[in-house]
Amino acid sequence: MIQLINRPQYTERIKPFVNKNIIKVLTGQRRVGKSCILLQLQQHIKECTPEANIIYINKEFEQFSSLRSNTELTDYINQHLDNTKPNYLFIDEVQDIAGFEHTLRSLQAQDACDIYITGSNATMLSSELATYLSGRYIEFHIFSLSYLEFLTFHKLDHSTANLRKYLTFGGLPYLSNLVLEEDIAFEYLRNVYSTILLKDVVKREGIRNVDFLEQLALYTADNVGNLFSSTNISKYLKSQKVNMTPLSVINYLRALQNAFLIHKVQRIDVNGLRKFEIGDKFYFEDLGLRNCHLGFNLQKDIHKLLENAIYLHLRQLQYQVYTGQQNGGREIDFVAMRKDEVVYVQACLQLTDESTRQREFGNLLAIANNYPKYVVSLDEWTSGSNVDGIKHVHLGDFLKMERY
């Protein structure tokens, strides 16, 4: 029996659309908990509408392996619709059914049922859904557990030791059923990683050079938070006796993004908010998946994990996130935007000397507006201080914040 721990930041956003003739699409990496959120929504519907007829299809279950095309999907649904009751359709990993969008469009046009689907590949939105269901669906991206959720799922209190566990093992929900030790947790994470790489990237994208894809994923993991150039990556790979063009690098990175394994963060001009064409950064959807294949060393990688954790937290709070650049080349690690809100964040391992303090706070002080500004570090003693309106916050405290 699956223990369902509520994730209200998602379920409460979806509930207002229950019984509305718009398709609810839950996207996100495999194993981030989309299926459990579907089950929680089903429970909510049963509580509100006891007579509801719920049709649930999970493409990871063997009993639904025969549903390969929209024709087979349509036949199955028609057999299970009950015209005497309100009908609700839930399909998990819908991208594994060829032409699914045709079935959904027909069902929606007839207002035959209230539809909820999940998918683990971004191209499902950019191609199938956008082409055939434009204006008829709403997307909810599901992330792996936030730090606060991690503490809830694992029944832990906030502490330095438990923050370390989060940075090491990440936020895949199923880990709460395992012992958080490297041998055990990383074995599970490596299996999830391989499934994503082989099923959602290689098979879905038709990747031919799997060895190169694996090397590129590892290179990306080792360079979290660094400015990327496909040309520089191509040169590096040539030095490793791997010959791939910059265009191939771009295409393979896009394939990793489509499976939600990594996220691309664009660079913008802080003043005019103009986007630059080059100089993106990449962060992992889950910290544990980033760590499980690298011969993990927390001491060596902590600055990368610090940045990745800040990025994920901002995204989990529904901010659009960029990396910023000011006149004179000053870099702002994160420029986060949500509706009319803007937040600026600098990430620093420790403010060990005056030159570091001048750089991190100085970059933010140079921004001539009154939006919230933060320096986030692992300094215990100086956390909570305020420098000319800029707040210095410990990473653990930052990850517990829900508003800025």
Side-chain angles (χ1 to χ4, degrees):
M1 182 69 177
I2 298 175
Q3 181 185 10
L4 295 180
I5 301 175
N6 191 27
R7 302 182 70 185
Q9 71 270 40
Y10 301 114
T11 54
E12 294 305 313
R13 286 173 53 208
I14 299 170
K15 284 179 182 178
F17 295 93
V18 172
N19 293 319
K20 302 295 190 294
N21 190 24
I22 186 168
I23 298 172
K24 279 65 73 174
V25 183
L26 280 62
T27 60
Q29 187 185 87
R30 285 187 187 269
R31 303 292 180 266
V32 295
K34 301 187 300 294
S35 299
C36 287
I37 292 174
L38 281 191
L39 293 176
Q40 290 171 13
L41 291 170
Q42 290 176 36
Q43 287 184 348
H44 170 71
I45 288 168
K46 289 176 182 177
E47 291 170 0
C48 296
T49 312
E51 72 277 17
N53 177 44
I54 293 177
I55 304 168
Y56 179 52
I57 298 168
N58 189 329
K59 277 297 293 175
E60 294 194 327
F61 291 175
E62 177 63 27
Q63 68 191 87
F64 300 111
S65 60
S66 61
L67 302 182
R68 300 186 183 91
S69 71
N70 61 294
T71 302
E72 293 158 342
L73 177 63
T74 299
D75 289 343
Y76 179 88
I77 294 170
N78 285 337
Q79 290 171 21
H80 289 82
L81 286 173
D82 186 339
N83 294 330
T84 67
K85 299 178 180 179
N87 290 284
Y88 298 83
L89 173 64
F90 293 81
I91 308 178
D92 220 340
E93 301 299 349
V94 73
Q95 77 277 349
D96 293 339
I97 303 174
F100 71 87
E101 64 277 5
H102 300 288
T103 298
L104 298 187
R105 184 176 183 177
S106 176
L107 290 169
Q108 189 183 47
Q110 301 171 62
D111 200 10
C113 49
D114 192 15
I115 303 171
Y116 305 77
I117 63 175
T118 77
S120 300
N121 195 288
T123 54
M124 183 184 72
L125 287 174
S126 62
S127 55
E128 289 100 325
L129 286 181
T131 300
Y132 292 95
L133 297 167
S134 179
R136 299 181 179 92
Y137 71 90
I138 183 168
E139 178 192 2
F140 302 91
H141 187 81
I142 311 301
F143 287 90
S144 59
L145 302 180
S146 67
Y147 177 53
L148 284 178
E149 288 182 309
F150 174 85
L151 296 177
T152 299
F153 271 61
H154 291 271
K155 300 178 181 178
L156 299 171
D157 295 323
H158 168 57
S159 68
T160 300
N162 290 332
L163 176 61
R164 179 191 179 103
K165 289 179 181 178
Y166 176 69
L167 295 177
T168 301
F169 301 116
L172 293 193
Y174 188 78
L175 285 175
S176 62
N177 298 294
L178 304 175
V179 178
L180 287 183
E181 297 175 357
E182 288 193 20
D183 288 348
I184 297 171
F186 279 177
E187 181 64 28
Y188 167 73
L189 290 168
R190 280 191 287 267
N191 277 286
V192 174
Y193 183 95
S194 297
T195 299
I196 293 170
L197 216 61
L198 295 175
K199 190 167 185 177
D200 295 324
V201 183
V202 173
K203 182 179 178 181
R204 175 81 180 184
E205 304 279 346
I207 297 294
R208 296 181 179 179
N209 194 335
V210 179
D211 288 340
F212 169 67
L213 178 74
E214 291 175 341
Q215 287 190 57
L216 181 61
L218 289 174
Y219 178 88
T220 307
D222 200 36
N223 286 274
V224 159
N226 292 336
L227 290 174
F228 265 62
S229 158
S230 57
T231 301
N232 288 342
I233 298 174
S234 183
K235 288 179 180 177
Y236 164 78
L237 292 171
K238 283 182 180 178
S239 74
Q240 303 298 307
K241 311 300 182 185
V242 178
N243 188 24
M244 294 293 284
T245 65
L247 180 60
S248 296
V249 172
I250 291 171
N251 289 336
Y252 276 52
L253 283 172
R254 184 180 296 115
L256 293 171
Q257 293 170 66
N258 285 341
F260 302 115
L261 187 67
I262 61 174
H263 291 248
K264 181 172 76 172
V265 177
Q266 290 185 285
R267 194 161 56 107
I268 63 171
D269 170 25
V270 170
N271 298 315
L273 300 184
R274 173 176 57 91
K275 292 181 181 179
F276 293 96
E277 295 299 322
I278 59 173
D280 301 320
K281 291 184 178 183
F282 289 91
Y283 295 96
F284 268 66
E285 167 88 7
D286 182 76
L287 296 168
L289 292 180
R290 184 262 171 206
N291 296 334
C292 67
H293 268 295
L294 275 179
F296 176 67
N297 184 320
L298 183 62
Q299 186 172 355
K300 177 177 71 72
D301 293 341
I302 186 61
H303 66 287
K304 302 170 187 176
L305 299 177
L306 172 74
E307 276 200 38
N308 207 138
I310 292 170
Y311 167 77
L312 286 175
H313 184 63
L314 292 168
R315 287 299 312 277
Q316 288 157 353
L317 294 180
Q318 300 181 59
Y319 285 92
Q320 293 299 312
V321 181
Y322 305 90
T323 182
Q325 181 173 310
Q326 303 178 75
N327 294 335
R330 291 174 179 262
E331 184 175 312
I332 305 299
D333 290 326
F334 299 107
V335 180
M337 302 178 187
R338 183 177 66 184
K339 297 179 181 178
D340 58 349
E341 301 175 52
V342 181
V343 179
Y344 302 95
V345 183
Q346 287 290 80
C348 179
L349 191 57
Q350 288 184 316
L351 300 174
T352 53
D353 52 52
E354 187 60 28
S355 63
T356 304
R357 291 178 62 85
Q358 290 288 342
R359 181 182 69 245
E360 302 300 340
F361 284 94
N363 286 1
L364 293 173
L365 287 169
I367 302 174
N369 63 45
N370 295 319
Y371 288 117
K373 302 175 180 68
Y374 292 86
V375 173
V376 180
S377 76
L378 290 175
D379 293 283
E380 294 280 358
W381 297 104
T382 56
S383 177
S385 59
N386 189 307
V387 178
D388 294 331
I390 298 170
K391 298 177 182 178
H392 178 205
V393 182
H394 186 272
L395 175 64
D397 294 326
F398 186 82
L399 296 183
K400 292 192 298 176
M401 299 172 69
E402 297 182 359
R403 294 195 66 84
Y404 304 107

